[in-house]
Amino acid sequence: MVRMRTVWLLFAIVAFCSFQQLFASDDVILYESFDDSFEGRWIVSEKDDYQGVWKHAKSEGHDDYGLLVSEKARKYAIVKVIDEPVNLKDGTVVLQFENRLQNGLECGGAYLKYLRPQEAGWKANEFNNESPYSIMFGPDKCGATNKVHFILKHKNPKSGEYVEHHLKFPPSVPSDKLSHVYTAILKPDNEVRILIDGEEKKKANFLSAEDFEPPLIPSKTIPDPDDKKPEDWDEREKIPDPEAVKPEDWDEDAPMEIEDEEAEKPEGWLDDEPEEVDDPEATKPEDWDDEEDGEWEAPKIDNPKCEVAPGCGEWKRPMKRNPAYKGKWQAPQIDNPNYKGIWKPQEIPNPDYFELDRPDFEPIAAVGIEIWTMQDGILFDNILIAKDEKVAESYRQTTWKPKYDVEKEKQKAEDEAASSDGLAGIQKKIFDVLYWVADIPFLSAYKLQILDLIEKGEKQPNLTIGIIVSVVVVIFTVLFKILFGGKKQQQTRTEKKPTESAETSKNEGSSGEKEEEKEAEKEETAAEAAAAPRKRTSRRDN
């Protein structure tokens, strides 16, 4: 027994030493666990706009500490300067951190900024949204924005200007309140991989125009700004047939609807009864002044006699479609013999074009959190910069995975308790699939609508079937447009042209006050619509 205890003790010592050696590896450039208070090691911005209070707090349900966003509707800024700047040009670099949205995230950021050296023109105690960074990475969600950002700020070698290059089609932010770990792996072959909870969600190439907007390498050619469309250029693919003649029997004045002469008044129709009568239970208010308020009239209610009768008031024959209606005559469309296609200016060499073998990464000299959020309870933890992705994987397994497993089991138990028949679990899997569908690139134009449907379904599980049908309709609509988008659909005479209602957000870097104003306008419009009285529909209308 003594010998066995000795063996286990030696094993524990060896394991502990190995663990310590791993975490003290030369491949680890920066590691912040927040086991100790951040004060003295992290610098809180003294700028007036950033009034949010940071706290050193435990993650709910764990003994593990993190950096907590403690107040709602605040701007936050805090930074940690690295001992030696990190060179992103040499070999692999891994950026990783944990994030837990303990109260969810409806409008706010939860990303990190990896800042350039202070020689670029910033001070730690004045850290703000203008402080120059190399990379911005992490969750951001508000209004039209719902993505795990990856933004590279790159210096244009010709103009000398720094340009933000956004990763196209980034993954969505997980919608739950569990701990998640976000990883960005920068490879020397220009590849960047985005992982969430160790699972690859996006792979891209820094130099590919398909992966970053705007692309790091400009186009070789651009449209000639001096090229003008010739006056005789005809872009009409179809034209009215000039030889067509309106038929002599075509009556353009015939109405669309006529009275149904075969209709008969239903038996028991109450011609002399009004549809509404004075409310017999209504009484004149005691403070009503006829001179100031006018003659008091009792409010109207539906006539009870009409409830049991087929209808009340003057009976009129219903309308039906006029079989003789043809509408305004139009000549049929024929192929335009002078059609030359859609005109485009000729391409000329781009004077701003340059070639690039590898991005000219700026070194990382500090890690900062600069966010604006309507949510509290956002917890940052285990911030890591490493040279080896295996090191990052080890950290995920030792620092994040145990917490996540506990939270997942707790959530599973709560879901089972809330729905003993297992329906909630099935719905969760369905929504997980729908989130995956929303990230499909060819559905990017409809991503926001799909995410909005999913969020409504999570709040109202009884809508799940309807949401699935809606998403399927969207998919088939997009596929139809892809397959037949080149064919122009001729509008019928009764169709109306759609109006443009979508606006593109100009600020994709981070969520801001504009998103809050948009949300407030939507809520105000909805409130006005809800408060407006509804017009009573008569039986004749029905």
Side-chain angles (χ1 to χ4, degrees), residues 197-255:
D197 298 344
E199 180 181 349
E200 183 178 296
K201 296 294 184 178
K202 179 72 176 181
K203 180 189 289 186
N205 188 293
F206 281 114
L207 304 185
S208 172
E210 301 297 323
D211 293 332
F212 281 87
E213 177 63 35
L216 271 72
I217 301 178
S219 173
K220 287 186 177 182
T221 61
I222 59 172
D224 185 355
D226 298 325
D227 193 13
K228 307 298 181 183
K229 182 172 67 173
E231 294 182 0
D232 61 346
W233 190 281
D234 196 339
E235 294 182 334
R236 299 174 300 165
E237 186 175 357
K238 298 282 187 178
I239 60 172
D241 186 354
E243 299 180 0
V245 179
K246 182 175 69 174
E248 294 181 359
D249 62 345
W250 191 288
D251 184 1
E252 293 184 340
D253 298 325

Side-chain angles (χ1 to χ4, degrees), residues 11 37 46 116 156 158 181 188 207 215 227 371 402 405 450:
F11 176 79
S37 174
E46 298 173 2
R116 292 159 52 195
N156 185 307
K158 281 209 166 184
V181 57
L207 304 185
D227 193 13
I371 58 176
D405 289 342
I450 295 174

Side-chain angles (χ1 to χ4, degrees), residues 213-469:
E213 177 63 35
L216 271 72
I217 301 178
S219 173
K220 287 186 177 182
T221 61
I222 59 172
D224 185 355
D226 298 325
D227 193 13
K228 307 298 181 183
K229 182 172 67 173
E231 294 182 0
D232 61 346
W233 190 281
D234 196 339
E235 294 182 334
R236 299 174 300 165
E237 186 175 357
K238 298 282 187 178
I239 60 172
D241 186 354
E243 299 180 0
V245 179
K246 182 175 69 174
E248 294 181 359
D249 62 345
W250 191 288
D251 184 1
E252 293 184 340
D253 298 325
M256 184 183 295
E257 291 184 331
I258 58 175
E259 284 189 354
D260 186 358
E261 298 294 339
E262 298 179 359
E264 296 182 357
K265 182 169 64 175
E267 184 177 353
W269 189 279
L270 306 178
D271 298 85
D272 300 328
E273 288 288 340
E275 292 185 353
E276 294 182 336
V277 295
D278 292 343
D279 185 354
E281 298 182 359
T283 58
K284 181 178 179 180
E286 294 181 359
D287 59 349
W288 188 277
D289 189 330
D290 289 338
E291 293 183 359
E292 294 184 3
D293 303 325
E295 183 181 355
W296 182 81
E297 295 181 357
K300 300 290 185 180
I301 62 171
D302 290 337
N303 189 343
K305 295 181 180 179
C306 298
E307 296 292 335
V308 295
C312 294
E314 180 185 0
W315 180 81
K316 294 181 180 180
R317 284 190 173 86
M319 303 297 287
K320 69 175 185 178
R321 183 171 179 82
N322 183 4
Y325 171 76
K326 293 185 178 180
K328 186 73 175 178
W329 181 83
Q330 294 179 352
Q333 299 284 311
I334 62 172
D335 291 335
N336 181 5
N338 298 320
Y339 174 66
K340 295 184 179 180
I342 303 299
W343 182 85
K344 293 181 179 180
Q346 64 179 349
E347 296 285 319
I348 62 173
N350 184 0
D352 296 326
Y353 173 76
F354 57 84
E355 294 184 355
L356 202 65
D357 295 328
R358 180 153 169 76
D360 187 17
F361 294 109
E362 295 287 344
I364 295 174
V367 177
I369 306 173
E370 185 275 316
I371 58 176
W372 174 87
T373 179
M374 296 300 293
Q375 255 49 62
D376 59 353
I378 301 175
L379 191 79
F380 295 88
D381 198 5
N382 295 314
I383 298 173
L384 171 70
I385 301 178
K387 298 179 181 179
D388 190 340
E389 54 188 292
K390 291 183 178 179
V391 173
E393 182 181 358
S394 298
Y395 274 83
R396 289 196 299 270
Q397 294 299 321
T398 55
T399 63
W400 165 77
K401 190 66 164 59
K403 291 185 294 186
Y404 178 79
D405 289 342
V406 170
E407 295 163 11
K408 195 70 174 176
E409 285 298 319
K410 181 180 179 182
Q411 183 187 60
K412 181 179 178 181
E414 291 174 352
D415 291 343
E416 291 176 352
S419 179
S420 57
D421 59 359
L423 181 59
I426 296 174
Q427 288 172 330
K428 178 65 169 59
K429 293 180 180 179
I430 291 174
F431 290 132
D432 287 343
V433 172
L434 292 180
Y435 273 114
W436 175 82
V437 170
D439 282 332
I440 297 176
F442 78 85
L443 294 175
S444 60
Y446 298 87
K447 181 175 180 178
L448 297 179
Q449 292 92 321
I450 295 174
L451 291 176
D452 185 55
L453 287 171
I454 296 172
E455 290 181 1
K456 290 179 179 178
E458 289 178 330
K459 294 177 181 177
Q460 303 180 58
N462 58 309
L463 300 179
T464 302
I465 300 299
I467 289 171
I468 294 174
V469 174

